Amino acid sequence: MVTYSLTPDKVILNSNIITMDANNPSAQAVAVNDGKFVAVGSNEDIKSLVGPKTLVTDLMGKTMLPGFIDSHTHVLSSGTRHVTEVDCDLRSLSDIKKALSSKASNTPEADWVIGFKFDDTKTSEARFLNRQDLDQVSRSHPIMVAHQAGHVYFFNSKGLEMAMFFDDSPNEQGGVLGRDTLTGSLNGAVYGRAIDRVLREVLPKPSSEDRRSGLKLICQMFAEAGITSVHDAMVSSDDLGIYQEFIERGELPIRAYLLMHRDHFNSLRDGGVRTGFGGDRLRIGGVKMVADGAISTRTAYLSEPYVGTEGERGLLIMDPEETNERVLEMHKAGFQVCIHANGDSAIEMVLSAYEEAQKAFPRTDPRHRIEHCSLVNAEILQRMKDIGCLAVPFGSYVYYHGEKMRFYGEQRLERMFAHRSFIDAGINSSGAADYPCSPLAPLIGIQSCVTREDNSGKVWGRSQAISVTEALKVYTINGAYASFEEDIKGSIEVGKLADIVILAADPNNVDPHEIKDIPVEMTIVGGEITYEL
Ligand SMILES: [Zn+2]
């Protein structure tokens, strides 16, 4: 029954609509006015609302879903990197060196040449870069290449010198300098927090112009993938300024929920800001911190060693004392706390801090999050459920990073990227690519969650597979919940924001191995088209 009485500006007819609204799971048509759904129903119902000024679109049976939400991805920073850095997502070290050399030849001597998206396991040599490799590119330019997962960076000799890393430098707290096992001299790799000072004080800051171009570019990339909302997983004050410019000019084509870098917490709190400040296009979200290393660089902090190593358990980046202190002050100040924790030991440490904070200063529904939350067990799930903690697990890692799963082993994979367990335990889990750590398209994540197969067809952790409908929920309404916005988006319902993705086929009706190949036909944010095939 449609009760809307005004004339809508737009109607979309003849669609296979998967609403993600439990009370009204499917429909054929929607009416949109002023950026919101004003009616959802059958073709006949919606046609009756069409007036002389209504724009009518006939989808000819295509599938409509609420726009995808990526709850943990690097938006402005990775867009900017596409503009200023060398994309090292290449299949051999020699191709990577060539790409860096070509950038160096256009860069004044003594200026940095920076690369990103390097992934050792995707190169034919299957090893980390070292300072000798990068010295072959240039000895006069400082060079730094970031691993796709972040958390590990590779320098040439000039870069190490400019970053003030010397053979006799000690490891910094929460960080490690890679060394040649024979000579003990630096091998060019820098792990964990040892990089923070370099990023803050040594590397050139991107210009505002680069950030503007980067934001524009990355928003286009998200729109092409059907994404209408993002949670930007690490935002600096400079980034916030650029976001605001886009908002002021009405040019932000995506909704962004900002997880602010921990360095900005004091200023935000002192300014009276807390989670939720802003509007439906741009909002201050949680405060982001990092507790351990990364899955794809094998630095997640695990209770049991990595397969094939002599007791290596990964890297803890914050200690329990620091975690407890920081969490308590952020919790008290009314922030959602969003801590990156991959390994079970890191997750347990973070959960203790959340539990303590909640005990000392009870808050209703703080929705603290564990970013990635990769390896769980029954006790972790119970503790998360008890305090209403949210999981933001990787969606596409089984598919995209399958070649790294052997470091974790078959058995452990039954408890990793634990989408099934989160659903069964009643824990909200939302979709995340953590771009640039994995491809940004949600359809790849949805396929990976459903099939649990890597790109060579090997299944990892079959017991964690979920249904297509469950995976769609993860990437829509659950993402809205993770930003306290389930009342305004995440499903196609009257009164909610008209954020839509239109797919050429229904993910329920294709071979699950082909979900990732379904063309995104159109993306709509607040009733406005942001992408059209
Ligand atoms: Zn991240």
Side-chain angles (χ1 to χ4, degrees):
M1 235 333 252
V2 167
T3 52
Y4 190 65
S5 58
L6 302 171
T7 305
D9 2 279
K10 297 182 180 83
V11 305
I12 306 178
L13 301 171
N14 205 7
S15 175
N16 162 40
I17 306 180
I18 304 170
T19 64
M20 307 315 293
D21 170 7
N23 300 319
N24 179 36
S26 59
Q28 295 175 310
V30 294
V32 172
N33 200 50
D34 207 14
K36 290 182 178 165
F37 295 114
V38 291
V40 178
S42 68
N43 283 328
E44 284 63 45
D45 285 345
I46 303 299
K47 263 186 206 157
S48 70
L49 301 174
V50 173
K53 290 193 176 152
T54 305
L55 183 73
V56 180
T57 307
D58 183 341
L59 283 188
M60 297 186 290
K62 284 170 190 154
T63 295
M64 180 192 298
L65 283 160
F68 293 131
I69 299 175
D70 189 315
S71 310
H72 181 121
T73 203
H74 296 272
V75 181
L76 213 161
S77 63
S78 53
T80 307
R81 293 169 87 174
H82 273 286
V83 172
T84 59
E85 301 182 6
V86 178
D87 188 337
C88 294
D89 185 12
L90 300 168
R91 300 291 82 89
S92 74
L93 296 186
S94 57
D95 284 349
I96 290 168
K97 287 189 228 174
K98 253 185 244 158
L100 291 165
S101 296
S102 139
K103 175 82 172 180
S105 65
N106 298 314
T107 303
E109 285 202 359
D111 280 7
W112 283 88
V113 172
I114 301 174
F116 77 128
K117 287 172 80 177
F118 164 65
D119 184 342
D120 55 309
T121 67
K122 296 205 182 289
T123 61
S124 49
E125 296 84 347
R127 65 164 173 84
F128 278 171
L129 285 161
N130 58 41
R131 72 194 281 183
Q132 287 79 18
D133 294 320
L134 297 175
D135 281 347
Q136 285 164 16
V137 173
S138 174
R139 285 182 162 276
S140 48
H141 297 85
I143 301 176
M144 184 191 83
V145 176
H147 197 279
Q148 188 176 36
H151 309 278
V152 190
Y153 297 78
F154 307 92
F155 291 79
N156 69 346
S157 297
K158 182 80 180 170
L160 287 170
E161 184 193 315
M162 301 265 290
M164 311 264 282
F165 290 129
F166 303 106
D167 283 344
D168 57 358
S169 299
N171 286 332
E172 299 178 24
Q173 195 202 10
V176 172
L177 303 178
R179 289 176 193 277
D180 186 298
T181 38
L182 291 177
T183 64
S185 57
L186 297 182
N187 66 14
V190 172
Y191 297 82
R193 264 158 95 171
I195 199 70
D196 289 359
R197 177 184 52 80
V198 182
L199 297 179
R200 214 170 35 235
E201 296 167 18
V202 180
L203 295 181
K205 287 240 185 306
S207 69
S208 298
E209 203 37 59
D210 289 338
R211 287 179 211 262
R212 281 183 205 110
S213 311
L215 184 54
K216 222 169 154 177
L217 175 70
I218 197 90
C219 285
Q220 198 49 45
M221 291 165 67
F222 285 123
E224 284 170 19
I227 296 171
T228 54
S229 286
V230 284
H231 300 186
D232 192 339
M234 188 73 98
V235 176
S236 69
S237 50
D238 292 330
D239 293 341
L240 183 54
I242 300 297
Y243 271 118
Q244 281 193 237
E245 271 184 27
F246 275 59
I247 282 287
E248 283 155 13
R249 295 202 301 259
E251 288 176 1
L252 188 63
I254 205 159
R255 303 186 193 280
Y257 181 74
L258 311 181
L259 309 190
M260 300 303 296
H261 191 289
R262 56 182 285 168
D263 286 356
H264 303 302
F265 164 68
N266 286 347
S267 334
L268 288 165
R269 175 197 56 196
D270 297 346
V273 173
R274 59 186 159 82
T275 295
F277 180 79
D280 59 38
R281 203 46 87 133
L282 183 68
R283 201 185 289 282
I284 299 283
V287 184
K288 166 79 184 294
M289 296 194 285
V290 177
D292 71 341
I295 289 296
S296 65
T297 53
R298 286 81 74 200
T299 47
Y301 189 59
L302 311 174
S303 60
E304 299 288 336
Y306 284 85
V307 173
T309 68
E310 287 171 26
E312 264 175 48
R313 290 177 47 216
L315 198 61
L316 192 64
I317 290 177
M318 293 200 301
D319 62 28
E321 202 185 0
E322 180 186 11
T323 310
N324 292 343
E325 268 176 36
R326 292 286 92 80
V327 166
L328 181 61
E329 56 184 11
M330 291 166 185
H331 172 84
K332 268 176 140 172
F335 278 88
Q336 181 184 42
V337 185
C338 307
I339 304 186
H340 159 131
N342 276 298
D344 50 350
S345 293
I347 293 170
E348 284 164 358
M349 177 186 79
V350 170
L351 272 174
S352 298
Y354 289 169
E355 287 160 353
E356 287 304 309
Q358 186 64 2
K359 214 190 295 167
F361 191 84
R363 255 177 68 189
T364 316
D365 199 15
R367 297 191 197 182
H368 295 320
R369 309 178 9 164
I370 298 183
E371 308 298 310
H372 315 322
C373 203
S374 296
L375 174 61
V376 299
N377 56 43
E379 195 195 326
I380 286 175
L381 293 166
Q382 187 59 50
R383 289 172 67 188
M384 290 181 72
K385 171 69 182 161
D386 288 347
I387 56 165
C389 178
L390 318 188
V392 190
F394 296 115
S396 64
Y397 267 33
V398 167
Y399 175 78
Y400 184 74
H401 285 303
E403 71 279 358
K404 298 165 184 92
M405 296 307 142
R406 65 192 158 87
F407 296 109
Y408 297 90
E410 301 268 357
Q411 292 207 326
R412 207 160 15 194
L413 256 296
E414 303 289 346
R415 294 186 286 121
M416 288 180 69
F417 322 117
H419 290 271
R420 173 87 268 141
S421 297
F422 293 129
I423 293 170
D424 292 348
I427 295 164
N428 188 88
S429 62
S430 47
D434 200 14
Y435 186 77
C437 301
S438 73
L440 54 76
L443 286 171
I444 300 179
I446 290 165
Q447 172 171 324
S448 184
C449 290
V450 170
T451 65
R452 295 291 293 199
E453 273 182 38
D454 70 16
N455 56 14
S456 72
K458 165 116 184 64
V459 173
W460 292 101
R462 190 189 295 277
S463 63
Q464 291 296 341
I466 58 176
S467 71
V468 171
T469 302
E470 287 168 331
L472 293 174
K473 203 173 161 206
V474 164
Y475 277 89
T476 55
I477 189 70
N478 289 12
Y481 186 87
S483 62
F484 298 88
E485 292 173 305
E486 70 276 17
D487 291 339
I488 61 166
K489 65 186 185 189
S491 59
I492 296 176
E493 270 182 75
V494 170
K496 283 196 174 182
L497 297 163
D499 296 353
I500 295 168
V501 55
I502 292 163
L503 302 177
D506 183 339
N508 290 289
N509 296 342
V510 301
D511 177 337
H513 303 91
E514 288 166 10
I515 292 174
K516 66 177 190 324
D517 305 318
I518 298 173
V520 171
E521 298 257 341
M522 197 187 282
T523 306
I524 296 174
V525 177
E528 303 295 326
I529 296 172
T530 57
Y531 168 72
E532 202 172 356
L533 188 66

